[in-house]
Amino acid sequence: MNKYINLTDVPLKYKVVISILFGILLSSCEQRPTEQEIISPTQPNISSIRITAPGLSESYADLRHQQIAEVDYRLSINLDSQTKNFSGIVHADINFRKILEQPLTIDFSGGAVDSIQVDGRSVPFEYNNYFISIDYQNLPEKSHTITVNYQHPYSNNGSGLHRFKDPKDEKVYLYTDFEPYDANRLFPHFDQPNLKARYTLDVKAPKDWVVVSAEREERVEEKRKSNHWFFPQTKKFSSYIFSLHAGPYHIWEDKAGDIPLRLMARQSLANYVKTEDWFTFTKQSFEFFQPYFEIDYPFKKYDQILAPDFNAGAMENVGAVTFNDSYISRGKKTQAQRMRLANVIAHELAHQWFGNLVTMNWWDDLWLNESFATYMANLALAENSEFTTTWENYYLGAKQWAYHTDQRPTTHAIQLPVNNTDEAFANFDGITYGKGGSVLKQLPYYLGKEEFRKGVSNYLKALSYDNSTLNDFINHLGKAADKDLDTWQQQWLYQAGLNTIEASFQCDDDQINHLVIQQTEPEEYPVLREQRTQLGIYQMKAGSMKRVATLPVLYSGARTEVKEAVGLPCPEGLYPNEEDWAYVKVNLDEVTIKNMAKHINDIEEPFARLMFWQSLFDSTYDAKLSLDEYISFIVNNGADERNINIIRLNARYIEFTYDFLTQIPLSTKRRNELTQTVESFVWGQLLEAAEGSDQQKVWFGVFTNIAHSTPALSHARDLLIGEFAIKGLELDPDMRWKLIKLQNRYLFSDYEQAITRELAKDNSDRSKLNALSAEVIRPQSENKSKWVDNLISNRDKFKLSEIRKITESLFAPEQIELFNIHGQPIFDSLAQVNEDESQELLTAYAYALPLMCSRENVNEITKSLKEKPQLKPILVKALKNHRYSGERCINIGKRLL
């Protein structure tokens, strides 16, 4: 699954809490029994061996793995476009390891069980809305076929079997999304990754629908009102990557060698799909992965389905990958957006080998699954695509996400126990993706590129169609490189925290005569690591800051003397992690800081400039450099920058600083001076950007997030209604909605009518969601009261995609006083919301808390944590990280004052 969020693509109020959404709990959360009435209790309680609660614990999964040796499923499903439920029959052909001595439970969340048979004979059972229980006395042999007749409602939160009705044309689409524990919302079965199975599927569906799963259909029988689709038995894989998608999708076809490719999208968006990009990026990924792994694509076909209301970026279902249809742009994509698309395509394809062919035994190894796909996607783009700045983009996105997450108090080791599937859901974060991917990225430098590749290939060959653990992977790498990785594994995978390095040097006759790398560790995680980095040495020559030397270095411990540096040119600038080899935070030496302040625009290497700019912001975020000094530096130097990645980085942090300025305690005059400086700079950059360029789109996005003065809001209104134009800037529908939301954010001009006019032009689901967002953000007391009440008391009236829009727009950073008036019910309702079974809903609810830069707000968070000790992992993580962001903002404010 790709849950990676490009930091440049999300609203700025959430950048300070970005790692909240995909956090992992540091301490386990015990599942608690619920007061749940047992359905069909036909004998004494036989489910006491398993706690009556949502989710699955690792301990019970282990027990069930000891019971079951092998299982295959035959599944028949009836789909209808009009009803709220679907029905099905599943036959589970099971071989047990031995005669059972405990009850058998079958995972099935939120459905209804009509009947159960064992070998054709009806048997008593219990169902508690979470799982089915069958007494072992009704399973006396080592092999049985269990048949379950069942019903289940369609989902409206993107998990299980999700139903979407397109408001544009009223066509209905279905798709599944299961990771980590929602496959049992499609059919009753054993929903754990180490009980791999083969699946035989048949589906009855409306006549105008296409039905998609892991295999291509072998035949379709036409009925009077429906068609009956039959699919052959699949290869063996885990149920969380099984799939069922259906609806009147538009289909395009191509081939990657002899592998059939299909791309599908809903009809109302079909005209916007850039099929050439999709198929090109897909075929390039196939061209790279098959020889790299030395294993041909292990399945028979490869479909890619663009799904509405999708919760993640994408999901790697075997042979039928789903993508969030926000990847369909209704305007021209920037190069960064095209690269992001290519990256997610490569990420999901890499999973077909690493995750689908070879699968983790349990969710404690989820990081390896996602980290590997993260690293391999970037490697594929770097070595076999048009994108020559892949690793710069990785540094700008996933790496910064990882660094940001790893400095929070809620950071954690890459590898740690996962006690249950709730914790597994919480494990999608900057550590799992960004840090894990970065740690893998350093291994080819440490082991050798070919040795690393060979180790990966051997691992996949040895464990094809099987389950594996971290030790399996590490042992194959170590054997291929003839290197003991035990120490490396302990340092990097089992210890949390981000180390910092700083180089110090002395020179004589313009040559280095002494150079040392000093490594420090955070107080909370006192571990010093070993890794290979690269020194970049810069000198001013002919008016440019040129890189005159590079030096690979293996450092370890608190102090590493680099004797190989003796005799190299004396640096006027030294970067101790040149080209981002290592996973480490960098402190610049005094000589470098002084010269970079003067010559940052003179650095020839764009990647080096990017990293120096990032270091500048890091100093601000660490409250070493004041916010006004940082703003002044950007205004004085940023306008001359032409590299798009550096512009994206500076644009991101300009928005970040603007959000902080809205809340840091300042005099009205001083606040207005600083915010106006930011606004004027951004507007100037937008006007001066090359016509039709990516820079123009970047600065437009920033402008719609930080514009606040009457002249700026007037420009925005005039752009929207066509009374003013910026040459080369073509407003697509989504850009128009940004301007409308800005009007509503400040109640400017005819903000209500702007929504009405736009909906008359475009009544798509995207427009309706944007209209909802624009209404929610209005800074009116009665409006905030209304939407807080909707969020708390009327959540069932909204689907999850709407809840997300409500929470992300509820309190803009400058609306903190409105939050102080109306936000207390959000804190008070945490215990109530905590009882919701939807992890996706809990994630969305965390958005409702805005940036908070006051001690009073921070104390309120601490109070909630103390008074509500039973909160689930996602909410605990959210509150702790909100508190951390607030404390950071307070410290930044002190530095500014």
Side-chain angles (χ1 to χ4, degrees):
M1 179 178 287
N2 190 309
K3 289 204 173 183
Y4 166 71
I5 293 181
N6 187 325
L7 294 179
T8 62
D9 295 334
V10 297
L12 246 292
K13 75 176 275 192
Y14 313 118
K15 292 190 175 102
V16 294
V17 294
I18 192 67
S19 63
I20 291 170
L21 300 180
F22 310 116
I24 179 172
L25 191 62
L26 295 174
S27 60
S28 67
C29 176
E30 289 296 324
Q31 293 178 323
R32 303 182 305 283
T34 61
E35 298 294 331
Q36 179 71 43
E37 180 181 356
I38 300 298
I39 301 173
S40 304
T42 54
Q43 56 189 55
N45 187 355
I46 57 176
S47 61
S48 58
I49 195 169
R50 180 176 175 181
I51 294 173
T52 302
L56 179 68
S57 69
E58 182 185 23
S59 58
Y60 186 77
D62 284 344
L63 170 64
R64 197 159 58 183
H65 190 253
Q66 294 170 22
Q67 293 177 323
I68 299 170
E70 189 173 28
V71 60
D72 291 324
Y73 301 105
R74 291 172 285 131
L75 179 60
S76 299
I77 295 182
N78 293 319
L79 301 177
D80 192 301
S81 64
Q82 303 301 319
T83 61
K84 295 181 178 180
N85 296 335
F86 63 93
S87 62
I89 302 172
V90 60
H91 306 276
D93 301 319
I94 310 170
N95 291 324
F96 295 103
R97 297 186 189 277
K98 57 183 180 180
I99 301 298
L100 292 185
E101 297 178 354
Q102 304 96 5
L104 179 71
T105 71
I106 304 171
D107 307 318
F108 186 50
S109 299
V113 180
D114 297 329
S115 66
I116 291 182
Q117 296 179 322
V118 174
D119 302 328
R121 174 178 55 88
S122 294
V123 298
F125 65 92
E126 293 175 2
Y127 178 54
N128 58 18
N129 203 48
Y130 303 129
F131 54 86
I132 302 163
S133 298
I134 303 174
D135 191 275
Y136 65 91
Q137 295 178 11
N138 292 309
L139 298 163
E141 308 297 333
K142 289 183 68 175
S143 295
H144 289 288
T145 296
I146 299 176
T147 301
V148 183
N149 283 265
Y150 68 93
Q151 299 176 53
H152 199 284
Y154 293 110
S155 160
N156 72 348
N157 68 0
S159 62
L161 181 58
H162 181 84
R163 181 182 185 273
F164 173 83
K165 186 174 183 179
D166 195 332
K168 191 79 174 176
D169 54 19
E170 298 192 339
K171 295 183 183 296
V172 173
Y173 299 87
L174 309 177
Y175 65 84
T176 55
D177 189 33
F178 294 152
E179 190 176 23
Y181 185 71
D182 285 322
N184 65 86
R185 294 180 180 273
L186 176 69
F187 68 105
H189 70 287
F190 310 113
D191 196 354
Q192 60 191 73
N194 61 1
L195 287 178
K196 288 191 168 185
R198 290 174 286 263
Y199 310 84
T200 307
L201 173 68
D202 69 272
V203 179
K204 292 179 181 177
K207 294 184 76 67
D208 62 335
W209 283 15
V210 61
V211 180
V212 182
S213 191
E215 294 278 342
R216 285 286 289 267
E217 70 278 3
E218 55 186 8
R219 72 182 192 280
V220 180
E221 295 180 359
E222 295 190 5
K223 307 295 183 181
R224 188 168 64 89
K225 293 184 178 180
S226 65
N227 287 343
H228 198 168
W229 296 66
F230 294 86
F231 297 84
Q233 187 180 63
T234 69
K235 294 183 179 180
K236 184 175 286 191
F237 54 80
S238 303
S239 63
Y240 79 92
I241 43 180
F242 180 69
S243 63
L244 173 60
H245 319 304
Y249 285 100
H250 190 98
I251 301 174
W252 300 267
E253 298 191 58
D254 205 330
K255 279 193 171 185
D258 58 355
I259 302 162
L261 305 179
R262 290 190 298 183
L263 177 65
M264 305 181 193
R266 51 183 160 128
Q267 298 290 344
S268 64
L269 287 177
N271 289 339
Y272 299 108
V273 177
K274 310 296 190 296
T275 57
E276 182 178 354
D277 275 356
W278 280 89
F279 286 130
T280 296
F281 299 152
T282 302
K283 286 186 273 190
Q284 287 173 338
S285 297
F286 271 109
E287 290 168 3
F288 180 78
F289 288 137
Q290 293 190 115
Y292 188 95
F293 297 139
E294 297 180 358
I295 299 174
D296 288 341
Y297 174 66
F299 307 106
K300 294 181 180 179
K301 54 91 176 179
Y302 196 66
D303 294 332
Q304 296 174 105
I305 298 94
L306 289 149
D309 288 346
F310 200 68
N311 285 327
M315 179 62 206
E316 66 269 17
N317 313 305
V318 167
V321 176
T322 39
F323 294 82
N324 192 313
D325 71 7
S326 65
Y327 286 108
I328 302 174
S329 174
R330 295 194 286 180
K332 182 181 178 182
K333 285 184 183 290
T334 65
Q335 189 74 342
Q337 290 171 326
R338 293 182 67 246
M339 189 185 304
R340 185 179 175 221
L341 173 61
N343 192 291
V344 73
I345 288 172
H347 181 107
E348 303 311 322
L349 185 55
H351 272 311
Q352 301 298 315
W353 287 267
F354 210 102
N356 295 7
L357 177 63
V358 181
T359 313
M360 65 213 158
N361 188 65
W362 178 247
W363 298 105
D364 53 352
D365 282 322
L366 171 66
W367 78 268
L368 184 56
N369 195 20
E370 295 300 343
S371 299
F372 185 84
T374 298
Y375 169 66
M376 287 305 305
N378 284 279
L379 184 65
L381 262 62
E383 300 198 8
N384 194 48
S385 80
E386 68 189 77
F387 303 110
T388 58
T389 60
T390 297
W391 292 120
E392 289 94 319
N393 275 270
Y394 179 80
Y395 173 82
L396 180 63
K399 197 73 170 283
Q400 297 311 314
W401 183 22
Y403 286 156
H404 190 66
T405 306
D406 212 8
Q407 295 176 81
R408 290 181 173 274
T410 50
T411 191
H412 54 85
I414 293 175
Q415 177 80 9
L416 78 169
V418 174
N419 294 318
N420 53 58
T421 50
D422 276 1
E423 292 184 19
F425 182 88
N427 211 3
F428 295 91
D429 69 351
I431 302 299
T432 295
Y433 287 80
K435 184 174 183 178
S438 300
V439 166
L440 291 178
K441 180 178 181 285
Q442 65 166 265
L443 272 175
Y445 298 114
Y446 189 66
L447 302 177
K449 289 185 179 180
E450 178 57 22
E451 288 79 3
F452 176 81
R453 188 203 65 78
K454 194 64 180 176
V456 168
S457 176
N458 291 342
Y459 164 81
L460 293 172
K461 290 174 181 175
L463 292 158
S464 291
Y465 303 103
D466 208 342
N467 294 92
S468 69
T469 65
L470 170 64
N471 285 337
D472 294 322
F473 181 67
I474 294 297
N475 289 340
H476 277 94
L477 292 183
K479 185 176 180 180
D482 193 23
K483 197 161 191 172
D484 186 344
L485 291 175
D486 286 348
T487 300
W488 180 90
Q489 184 173 343
Q490 287 299 321
Q491 288 181 351
W492 285 103
L493 305 183
Y494 291 98
Q495 303 289 337
L498 176 64
N499 294 101
T500 301
I501 59 171
E502 181 174 342
S504 59
F505 56 88
Q506 297 174 359
C507 296
D508 187 25
D509 293 332
D510 200 33
Q511 291 184 330
I512 296 173
N513 62 27
H514 185 71
L515 192 148
V516 172
I517 294 178
Q518 294 173 306
Q519 180 183 192
T520 56
E521 71 272 45
E523 183 178 344
E524 302 87 344
Y525 306 105
V527 57
L528 295 172
R529 296 177 169 93
E530 177 181 270
Q531 66 177 322
R532 187 171 294 278
T533 188
Q534 181 176 225
L535 306 182
I537 297 174
Y538 290 82
Q539 287 187 335
M540 283 295 294
K541 292 184 177 296
S544 295
M545 185 69 75
K546 298 181 182 295
R547 189 173 70 183
V548 294
T550 57
L551 179 65
V553 175
L554 183 68
Y555 71 85
S556 61
R559 186 177 185 278
T560 301
E561 185 174 350
V562 185
K563 296 180 179 178
E564 299 85 353
V566 174
L568 291 177
C570 185
E572 292 179 76
L574 174 63
Y575 202 82
N577 187 23
E578 186 75 5
E579 296 181 350
D580 191 35
W581 284 18
Y583 179 82
V584 69
K585 189 174 181 179
V586 168
N587 280 347
L588 299 176
D589 63 89
E590 291 183 2
V591 172
T592 299
I593 291 173
K594 179 180 177 181
N595 286 320
M596 289 307 108
K598 297 177 182 177
H599 300 293
I600 194 164
N601 287 325
D602 296 323
I603 302 170
E604 284 191 336
E605 295 287 337
F607 200 172
R609 284 204 312 281
L610 180 70
M611 298 179 85
F612 280 119
W613 273 108
Q614 178 63 48
S615 293
L616 182 71
F617 175 76
D618 289 342
S619 295
T620 307
Y621 194 59
D622 292 341
K624 296 176 181 177
L625 179 70
S626 71
L627 206 58
D628 54 349
E629 289 178 290
Y630 177 69
I631 292 169
S632 178
F633 192 89
I634 284 194
V635 169
N636 292 329
N637 295 279
D640 293 329
E641 184 58 64
R642 293 294 177 264
N643 180 271
I644 186 59
N645 285 333
I646 300 171
I647 289 171
R648 289 169 59 211
L649 180 141
N650 285 339
R652 172 200 301 170
Y653 294 137
I654 284 173
E655 292 188 47
F656 194 104
T657 59
Y658 178 83
D659 286 356
F660 274 28
L661 286 172
T662 63
Q663 291 197 28
I664 288 172
L666 294 168
S667 68
T668 301
K669 180 181 179 182
R670 182 64 171 145
R671 191 190 316 278
N672 289 342
E673 286 175 352
L674 291 171
T675 56
Q676 189 58 52
T677 296
V678 171
E679 184 188 80
S680 298
F681 174 75
V682 171
W683 178 246
Q685 293 303 105
L686 174 57
L687 293 179
E688 294 172 12
E691 295 178 17
S693 65
D694 288 359
Q695 290 93 321
Q696 202 175 51
K697 283 195 172 184
V698 168
W699 290 119
F700 173 83
V702 180
F703 174 73
T704 59
N705 283 320
I706 60 89
H708 61 282
S709 70
T710 298
L713 295 173
S714 297
H715 291 321
R717 177 202 58 205
D718 293 346
L719 278 170
L720 179 66
I721 63 179
E723 291 188 3
F724 176 73
I726 298 175
K727 198 169 183 181
L729 183 68
E730 297 181 7
L731 298 180
D732 64 39
D734 299 315
M735 294 168 72
R736 292 179 61 81
W737 276 111
K738 287 185 178 183
L739 295 170
I740 294 170
K741 184 175 181 179
L742 178 62
Q743 280 186 254
N744 279 265
R745 181 171 173 175
Y746 292 98
L747 305 179
F748 187 79
S749 188
D750 60 342
Y751 57 92
E752 291 180 291
Q753 288 79 7
I755 293 177
T756 303
R757 285 195 302 269
E758 200 67 22
L759 284 174
K761 297 177 185 176
D762 176 14
N763 69 338
S764 67
D765 63 304
R766 288 192 188 182
S767 287
K768 291 186 175 183
L769 288 172
N770 282 322
L772 176 63
S773 181
E775 180 184 344
V776 171
I777 206 170
R778 292 174 188 162
Q780 300 158 315
S781 187
E782 64 277 13
N783 187 57
K784 297 305 181 186
S785 179
K786 166 189 169 182
W787 286 106
V788 168
D789 185 63
N790 278 333
L791 181 63
I792 295 171
S793 304
N794 302 312
R795 287 194 307 277
D796 59 340
K797 297 179 180 179
F798 300 91
K799 60 181 181 176
L800 183 63
S801 58
E802 293 170 328
I803 293 291
R804 281 205 180 98
K805 284 296 181 183
I806 293 169
T807 56
E808 74 180 26
S809 304
L810 192 52
F811 294 105
E814 75 279 359
Q815 296 173 0
I816 190 64
E817 291 306 318
L818 284 168
F819 174 78
N820 291 338
I821 296 170
H822 299 286
Q824 188 60 43
I826 297 174
F827 286 113
D828 295 341
S829 65
L830 285 170
Q832 169 207 328
V833 174
N834 189 62
E835 297 305 312
D836 198 291
E837 294 174 25
S838 169
Q839 295 291 312
E840 292 84 3
L841 184 278
L842 297 182
T843 298
Y845 199 82
Y847 270 127
L849 299 177
L851 173 66
M852 304 176 193
C853 290
S854 72
R855 181 54 57 190
E856 293 77 12
N857 287 139
V858 167
N859 290 342
E860 186 64 37
I861 295 174
T862 300
K863 178 183 175 183
S864 291
L865 286 166
K866 288 181 178 178
E867 293 179 351
K868 301 173 178 69
Q870 302 303 317
L871 294 180
K872 291 178 181 177
I874 287 292
L875 291 178
V876 172
K877 183 85 172 191
L879 290 173
K880 288 183 176 180
N881 283 341
H882 271 297
R883 181 173 61 184
Y884 171 81
S885 295
E887 289 171 343
R888 280 276 181 161
C889 186
I890 291 169
N891 290 335
I892 291 172
K894 289 178 180 177
R895 184 71 175 82
L896 179 59
L897 300 174

